[in-house]
Structure formats: C-alpha cells, structure tokens
Amino acid sequence: MSTRASKRQRMDKDEKFHLIYWPGIPGRGEHIRLALEEAGVAYTDTAHQENGVKEVISQIDTSNQGDTANPPPFAPPILRHGEYTLSQTPNILLYLGPLLGLSPLPTDDPVGMYHVNQLALTALDGFSNEAHDTHHPIAVGDYYENQKDEATKKARDYRENRLPKFFGYFERVLSGDASKGGEYLYGGQLTYADLVLFQTMDGVSFAFPKCIEKLKESEKYDKVFALYERVKEREKIKAYLESERRQKYSQGIYRHYSELDG
Ligand SMILES: N[C@@H](CCC(=O)N[C@@H](CS)C(=O)NCC(=O)O)C(=O)O
C-alpha cells in the first residue's frame, strides 16, 4: 500500500477536529461548524478560545510556510484534523463529506461527491461570494463607506437579477430527478450541500430581509424555502442554532445595510 493510502486510512472520525476561524461572526467558518454539528462529532473552535484570534493570525501570517505535510493556508476557515491542515471552505467540505456521512461514498455513487460539491460551490458563488461583493464591490480591504455608490448599483443587480437566478436554479435542482424527491438537493438525503444552502440563505435573509421576503411571497421558490425550514428543524441543527456556539451576524460576509435592500 502506498504511504498516501496508509496515511488516509489513519484519518478517521476519532482524530480531533479543530476549526480555526475569526471569533465574532459566523462567516465562512459556519459551513464547517454546521457539518460537524450535524454529524455530532466533537470539535474545538478558535471562536470560543481565549487566544483564538492569535491562532488565526499565526496561521495566515506571511512567515508561515506550512510543514512537511501541509502547505500554508491563505485565509480561514482552516480545519486541523489530526496531523493535517486544510483550507478553502468547499475543499474542507469535500474532505469532510464522506468522512462524516454528508456526501455519497465513491463506492455507492462514483460522481456523487462531485455533484454535491457542484451544488455547494453554486450556493457559495451566489449566496456568499456575490452577497459579500454587494457591500465590497471595489476593494475588499477598504471601508464600505468608500465604495457606497458602486455598492448601491451592485446590490440592485444582485436583488433584481442574481438572487432570483440562483433561487431559480435551486428550485430546478429540487424539481429534478437527481434530487430523488425534492426534499434535499441530491440523492434523497441530506448532504453538506443542503447545509451550505441553508446557511447562505440564512445569511442573505439577514442582509436583504425585504428582498428575500418578496422572493418568498412570489411562491416561485417554494421548494427552496421548504428545504431551508427542513434543515433548520433537524434535531442537531436546531439544538446548535439555539446554543451559544451559534454567533450573531455583524460585520462579516452578511451585513445589513437597509439602503442595499431596496
Ligand atoms: N475562498 C475562500 C475565501 C476565504 C476568505 O475570504 N476568508 C475570509 C474570512 S471569511 C478572510 O479572512 N479573508 C482574508 C483575505 O482574503 O485576505 C474560502 O472559501 O474559504
């Protein structure tokens, strides 16, 4: 057996999971938390640790070159699992999916994990990355107030064109045969793509409450809104959302500026 294969065999749910992410916002770290919470595995989280910020900063510091097994991460979320360190939200989820039973195993469905990844990437494109760009359309590192005019234009296009287009896509996915019944996005059971869709919809609902209410009232996306409620009511997710581990939205990806909500 190759060294890689034998190393892979040692990685299992019993190795410790440690999430490295900025304290104070759900942010992209939330996608990793929801996967771990739904799977019911124990994990530690810098969001709730005294020197949490320091640990994030030391990971992304320009002096960090990684180690023999791991290249350095560029930005959080970062997951440490045993001796491995991974970054990039959908990449971490791709790794966690089969491990936590949140995406199909290649033995059951050879391309299932890539279909789930496709759906998660699409939700992240439309409801996370593009949502972020509405308040920071010009410069990620500059204040919103310095790019407000462009933000107003970007947000109008987002509300009028992009959000309905992405909602329409997920309604189609849920109406399609590959969803196997339309309760969840793929294969008739919950995958991490459903968790990502739930979380990103929750975020855009915080940022654009009026717009999302209108989309809901249009009754064009009933399956998507039903999926949101279904995920929210899952036993472990519900308990997590009601716990102190769930942080409030503030100045992260999802920000509520009433002028951007139309
Ligand atoms: N594509 C990356 C984006 C990571 C990212 O932008 N992380 C934010 C926090 S949510 C950050 O701290 N970025 C610092 C930077 O981009 O300089 C992912 O999905 O994980």
Side-chain angles (χ1 to χ4, degrees):
M1 191 186 302
S2 75
T3 320
R4 279 202 167 161
S6 64
K7 263 189 188 170
R8 185 69 189 77
Q9 255 183 10
R10 293 208 310 271
M11 302 305 299
D12 59 34
K13 278 170 75 174
D14 299 331
E15 298 262 19
K16 285 191 179 129
F17 292 99
H18 179 52
L19 174 64
I20 302 171
Y21 193 75
W22 304 112
I25 48 165
R28 289 182 174 90
E30 202 60 11
H31 300 294
I32 316 304
R33 289 189 191 100
L34 287 171
L36 295 166
E37 294 280 347
E38 170 62 30
V41 297
Y43 65 100
T44 48
D45 185 343
T46 51
H48 307 296
Q49 292 178 336
E50 208 172 308
N51 285 326
V53 174
K54 262 195 189 162
E55 191 174 346
V56 178
I57 291 172
S58 77
Q59 279 289 338
I60 62 175
D61 193 273
T62 50
S63 67
N64 182 15
Q65 297 193 334
D67 58 39
T68 50
N70 304 288
F74 177 78
I78 299 157
L79 181 74
R80 182 164 315 129
H81 184 212
E83 62 185 292
Y84 294 116
T85 306
L86 289 166
S87 69
Q88 287 285 358
T89 311
N91 184 48
I92 299 172
L93 292 171
L94 190 63
Y95 171 77
L96 287 178
L99 208 56
L100 302 183
L102 291 171
S103 67
L105 293 173
T107 41
D108 299 332
D109 177 353
V111 289
M113 60 196 279
Y114 303 106
H115 283 145
V116 170
N117 188 41
Q118 164 189 326
L119 295 163
L121 286 167
T122 308
L124 290 167
D125 278 350
F127 298 140
S128 178
N129 301 332
E130 290 199 23
H132 169 273
D133 292 349
T134 61
H135 53 78
H136 278 77
I138 301 295
V140 176
D142 199 358
Y143 291 107
Y144 161 66
E145 285 71 19
N146 295 339
Q147 40 196 318
K148 223 171 156 175
D149 291 346
E150 294 88 349
T152 306
K153 284 187 203 153
K154 185 90 181 168
R156 187 186 310 123
D157 179 60
Y158 187 61
R159 291 191 314 269
E160 292 175 3
N161 299 312
R162 302 300 289 171
L163 267 177
K165 187 167 182 177
F166 279 97
F167 267 93
Y169 171 71
F170 284 109
E171 189 73 12
R172 262 191 297 137
V173 171
L174 289 165
S175 307
D177 289 344
S179 82
K180 302 264 185 301
E183 291 211 333
Y184 293 110
L185 290 169
Y186 187 74
Q189 50 183 311
L190 180 106
T191 67
Y192 69 76
D194 301 295
L195 299 176
V196 170
L197 183 57
F198 161 77
Q199 173 54 28
T200 53
M201 280 178 70
D202 198 64
V204 290
S205 304
F206 169 80
F208 302 95
K210 279 197 327 202
C211 172
I212 297 299
E213 194 49 42
K214 265 196 199 160
L215 293 175
K216 192 173 182 177
E217 281 169 4
S218 76
E219 297 181 2
K220 286 185 194 163
Y221 315 109
D222 284 352
K223 288 190 170 69
V224 182
F225 283 101
L227 179 144
Y228 172 86
E229 295 299 332
R230 195 169 294 120
V231 171
K232 196 174 182 179
E233 290 306 316
R234 285 180 73 88
E235 194 183 333
K236 292 200 180 88
I237 297 296
K238 190 172 191 298
Y240 166 67
L241 296 175
E242 288 166 2
S243 77
E244 288 185 356
R245 299 190 299 288
R246 172 74 167 185
Q247 297 163 88
K248 292 190 171 28
Y249 295 108
S250 59
Q251 296 292 297
I253 299 166
Y254 302 114
R255 304 180 181 196
H256 177 63
Y257 294 115
S258 58
E259 64 274 20
L260 298 187
D261 194 15

